[in-house]
Amino acid sequence: PRCPSMIMAHIEGAAGRMALLKHWLFIALRSRSCATVGNVMLLAHTGGLTLDNILELVHTFDAGEAVVHCPTPPFIAEWEAGNAAVFIRAQNEGRLDWRPNPSFRAAFGELDSLRTFALTPPPRRRQVPGGLTGAGADTMLTGHYGLGTGALPPQTATPAAAAQSIGMSEGDEFNRVLVASEVLLLNVVHEEDRARFMQLNASLWSQMRAGAEHEQMAESALTEPVRVRLSTGVHMPCDVRGRILIHPDSRRTWTCIALAPHAPPPLPSVE
């Protein structure tokens, strides 16, 4: 996806889109960036959030307040101790935390280069190391999924022009903070399989229900494997499963992605 609006377009149902918007709003508020918060306000127009919805969340948020630690729910942590390569993303009052399990680090390397590229790519960068440990080289089309770079929007004379300049361009500098949490793993997915990989994320958010007063959980799996790049630079087909758990108003969210080597179907027996 080229921008947050395209990510939202793949989510079925207004409840899932609103849950994702609230998740992004907390990230934007924690960033203390007027531009990033403004982007969420623009997205809210098409995603179903009203100004009253937004103000209610803003009034209960204090960017200067210490974030209270919240343990990983059992539904998310269950996969972490298994043999699959598991990647957990947590958002707590806008603070993001990424936690790969030992199997993930063994297969793909450490997280630092992936996180650095997703959050703070240098201007006009197009070459990134293959894998997460620098083996080989691979060209990343950053604009393809919203991690491209761009200049700050020019001064504009009207609100409409300002909205157009900071809103939805694929190289928007401000979009990067929002979409990084959703597309961080795309760096290790083969370019031709990235759209299918993002379908898993959309499927998880699509299962959210409107007006839920308690935490919501959902699970989904891709029907076809995706190719992922190991730290050695070799691509390997993997089966992909995902889980999501969100608290009311998306004040805290967890997503868990599990990657396991794809086992081809057995050959038919010959009699």
Side-chain angles (χ1 to χ4, degrees):
R2 295 174 184 268
C3 61
S5 60
M6 293 185 67
I7 294 177
M8 287 200 306
H10 288 81
I11 298 175
E12 298 179 2
R17 291 191 291 272
M18 290 183 67
L20 178 59
L21 277 168
K22 291 177 180 180
H23 162 79
W24 279 340
L25 177 61
F26 283 114
I27 295 173
L29 292 172
R30 180 63 60 183
S31 75
R32 304 177 70 89
S33 165
C34 290
T36 305
V37 173
N39 240 17
V40 176
M41 299 285 281
L42 290 169
L43 291 165
H45 177 69
T46 58
L49 275 182
T50 67
L51 181 61
D52 288 341
N53 296 147
I54 293 175
L55 291 177
E56 181 180 355
L57 297 178
V58 170
H59 289 159
T60 62
F61 180 85
D62 184 355
E65 185 178 357
V67 176
V68 178
H69 173 71
C70 189
T72 303
F75 179 71
I76 297 296
E78 180 182 355
W79 288 355
E80 192 173 16
N83 294 325
V86 172
F87 187 88
I88 293 175
R89 189 282 313 278
Q91 180 270 124
N92 181 5
E93 297 276 355
R95 188 179 301 279
L96 290 170
D97 178 45
W98 292 280
R99 189 168 73 240
N101 73 343
S103 295
F104 186 97
R105 292 195 297 269
F108 301 103
E110 295 299 328
L111 182 62
D112 289 347
S113 61
L114 180 63
R115 181 171 51 198
T116 298
F117 183 84
L119 294 176
T120 55
R124 294 179 297 279
R125 180 176 183 174
R126 285 298 180 270
Q127 298 291 330
V128 297
L132 303 187
T133 58
D138 185 33
T139 299
M140 174 163 292
L141 302 178
T142 56
H144 175 68
Y145 53 90
L147 300 186
T149 59
L152 294 175
Q155 295 294 324
T156 49
T158 66
Q164 184 176 6
S165 70
I166 68 171
M168 303 302 175
S169 65
E170 70 179 53
D172 193 342
E173 193 76 18
F174 310 127
N175 284 341
R176 192 173 64 242
V177 174
L178 299 181
V179 301
S181 63
E182 306 307 316
V183 302
L184 192 69
L185 287 184
L186 286 187
N187 189 36
V188 301
V189 177
H190 192 283
E191 183 180 329
E192 295 176 357
D193 294 342
R194 286 173 184 165
R196 186 162 70 254
F197 181 81
M198 286 301 296
Q199 290 174 3
L200 178 68
N201 184 65
S203 174
L204 293 171
W205 285 101
S206 296
Q207 297 179 61
M208 298 299 100
R209 305 179 307 278
E213 297 181 358
H214 304 284
E215 64 184 29
Q216 297 189 69
M217 298 176 288
E219 182 174 337
S220 189
L222 295 180
T223 57
E224 298 181 13
V226 299
R227 290 163 291 178
V228 297
R229 187 180 60 236
L230 305 177
S231 59
T232 59
V234 175
H235 282 89
M236 179 180 68
C238 282
D239 296 319
V240 186
R241 300 177 296 157
R243 283 181 171 180
I244 188 171
L245 187 148
I246 71 171
H247 283 187
D249 287 330
S250 300
R251 193 170 294 274
R252 296 181 181 88
T253 68
W254 289 265
T255 54
C256 178
I257 304 298
L259 304 165
H262 175 66
L267 296 174
S269 58
V270 179
E271 299 185 4

